[in-house]
Structure formats: structure tokens, C-alpha cells
Amino acid sequence: MNTGRLIACHECDLLQREAPLTGEGVLRCCRCGAELYRHHPDSLDRALAYTLTCIVLFVIGNAYPIVGLSVNGDLVQTTLLGAVRALYTDGMWPIAGLVFVTTFLMPLMQMSAIAYLLVPLRLRRLPYRADIVFRMLHLARPWGMTEVLILGMLVALVKLAHIASVVPGVALWTFAALMLLLAAASAAFDPHELWQRIGGHSRSAPGPEELAAASARTAMASGLMTCHSCGLLTKTGPHVHEASCPRCGAHLHERKPASFARTWAFLIAAMVLYIPANMLPVMNTSSLFGSEKDTILSGVVYLWTSGSWPLAIIVFIASIAVPMLKILAIMFLVISTQRRSVALLQQRTRIYRVVELVGRWSMLDIYVITILVALVQFNALATIQAGPAAVAFGAVVVLTMFAAMSFDPRLIWDANESNHG
Ligand SMILES: [Zn+2]
Ligand SMILES: [Zn+2]
């Protein structure tokens, strides 16, 4: 008989016995296929090595210019933070804030949190208040968008090459390396092993009475709750609404609170803003030959007609297709779940996973505009400014991300449970 620890799937709430992984491998939910956890040998040491390298690259990447533009012998350059400042002084503080948070603050928080947790463990000490830092890491993860920034830089380079000669800066290569190492660090970091090393798990692993209570198929039906941050399974107490995880301190709930209402609220706000985001100009270019206002779509058309059709396709997918499909997909998930449909449970869970994964790529256009605004500032010759649609568009991306985060995929499977009786 399998005597592994009891764990609950975070996407369908099914209770399962943990199969111990000795070598490299991934443990998946036997019902919905969600990744329960991933095991690498010496995962924490590898995560630490990657992260320390990332911190060095991050410092270099922010100290040197990303790209320069040479016009009539003058070289105009910008760093990432310089580009953020240019947007801010232009009055585009919502976009400046969004770019600062997603490309500087959140990646920094992610790297420092991993280093904070792993350096002491490596020196055989316990990190102080690991619970708070672990939650910070969990919070920062979905919002760090270095990989999207890289693609944005490339698109901006192609657009700039039409205006003047472009000089790629040191930071461009540094950020590309940073992107790969951040992904490696994130993949190697195993929260499971972290908590095992910290030792907090002995106190909070389900005791015999919890295991006895686990008579039903799902955690909720067995009176258990999973921590959405660290995955620990705990017994549902009488005060469900004030419960917090004994291991990492995150707020505990059987299902995300008011999931449908909140998802709808974010979704409707996103749909409303999707209209100005596509109708209004996203970028104003003024030059000697007059001024030109570009919408998102006309930017795609421009890339297409100027011969950069691979980039035109990428920008079209990221900025027009993804936000629209994402809104429709979440709407489909919420409506079908509210109607307690038991059809296509696995496929709907898969749609949810894809939606969570691809939404961030819509930020592409925001990054392209950021770099263009920072570099094309030749008062007499040409100036590029961000238009009002940029703010609306940034809001659509953030709102659809919030909508996806508010939706609880376990609700999809709850309909199945109640039908089984
Ligand atoms: Zn599952
Ligand atoms: Zn927890």
C-alpha cells in the first residue's frame, strides 16, 4: 500500500498519496494532470547558484544602456530605468509604474527572496521569518516579466532601425542572459524541499486524525484545506474565514473567496477598457513631416508593410489576439462553471492553465512603447509620445491577469463531486 504523505491537487482538489521521487521527475495529478511538484536532485543548490548569477546580471543590466540610437553623429542611449523616467516625466505615470513594477521591482523581489531563503540554508542556518519571504516570492512570481521585456526590446529595435542606426547596448545581452537564468532558477527552486529543510513541515503535516478524516475524494469534502502559497494540507477549523497557514502564514480558504463575482468584475472592467485600448492612439509620433497617431492595429500594419512580417505576426498575437481570446476563455470558464457543467472537465482545466500562462505576453506593446518613447526625443526632428490607449491597454492586461487569478479552477471539478453524491 502506498503510504506517502497526503496531498491535494491545487487545480482540482483531489486528494492523493505522494509518491516519493528520488531522481529527476515531475509528479502530476492523476485526475486533471496539474503539476503537483517537480523534483530535481540538489534543486536548492542549483536555484541558489542561478539566482546569485541573476543578481549580478541584474545589476549590470540596469547600470548600462539597453540600446542607443545614432542620429547625425549624436548617440542617444537609455537604460531601463531611464526609459521608465522618460515615461514618468511625459505624464504617463501609470505606464511608468507598470513597467517599473514588472521589469524591475518584481524580478528584484523574486531574486532577493530566493537568495534570502537559500543562502542561510546553504550555511546550515535557518532564514529568519522564512514564512513572510516565501509569501513575497509567491506574490512576485507571476508579475516579473523579463522574458516579455526582451521580446519588446527586439520589436523596438526593428522599429527604430527604420528611423536611425541602432546600437545595441550591453544591457540588451545581459537581460537576455538574465531571462534564461531567471527561468532556470525558478524551475530549479523546489518549495517542497525548502520546507523540508526548514523543518516546519513536521509540525504541520497531516496527523493521524486528519488522515482518518480523509475519507472523501477531495480535500474540501474531507474537511481539509490546501495552502495556495506553499501547498500544505491542514484541517479546516471552525473559523474558516480567519484561518492562516501554520507553515507560511498565507490566508487559507477552501475555495477562493467570491471567485465568480470577482472574476466577473475584473472581466467586465477589462472588456470595457478593451474598446478605448484599440480605438485610441497608443503612440503619437511628431516629426518634421507632421504628426502621426498610431493605434495598436495600425502599428501591426506598419510592421507588416515595412517587411517585418514575423514581428507583425508576433505583435498581432500578443496585443490583439491574446487579450481578446483571454477574455473570451475566462468568460467561457466562469459561465460553464456557474452552470455547474460536468462536460470537458479536463479540457476546461487545460484552458485555465493556458490562460494563466500566456496572458503576460500581452505586455509586449507596453515595453515597445516604453523604449521608443525614451529614445525618440529629438525635439526638432522627431518625438514619440505614449498615447491614451497605452494606459487603457496596460489596464486590460493587468485586469485580465487579476481575473484569471480570481478564478478558482477547483470550482470546475466541484460540479463533478456533487453529481457523484
Ligand atoms: Zn488535479
Ligand atoms: Zn502555506
Side-chain angles (χ1 to χ4, degrees), residues 227 230 245 248:
C227 170
C230 73
C245 174
C248 76

Side-chain angles (χ1 to χ4, degrees), residues 265-279:
F266 288 126
L267 212 53
I268 291 169
M271 283 191 275
V272 170
L273 285 170
Y274 187 76
I275 301 164
N278 282 285
M279 305 295 280

Side-chain angles (χ1 to χ4, degrees), residues 9-14 16 29-34 36 413:
C9 171
H10 56 279
E11 284 186 9
C12 75
D13 211 28
L14 186 71
Q16 294 153 74
C29 171
C30 61
R31 178 160 76 167
C32 74
L36 295 177
W413 295 86

Side-chain angles (χ1 to χ4, degrees), residues 52 60 75 79 157 163-164 200 207 227-228 252 289 302 337 345 363 396 408:
L52 293 179
I60 300 174
L75 186 64
T79 58
L157 278 184
I163 303 174
C227 170
H228 63 89
L252 283 180
F289 315 106
Y302 172 77
T337 309
L345 295 166
M363 284 292 270
V396 169
D408 195 327

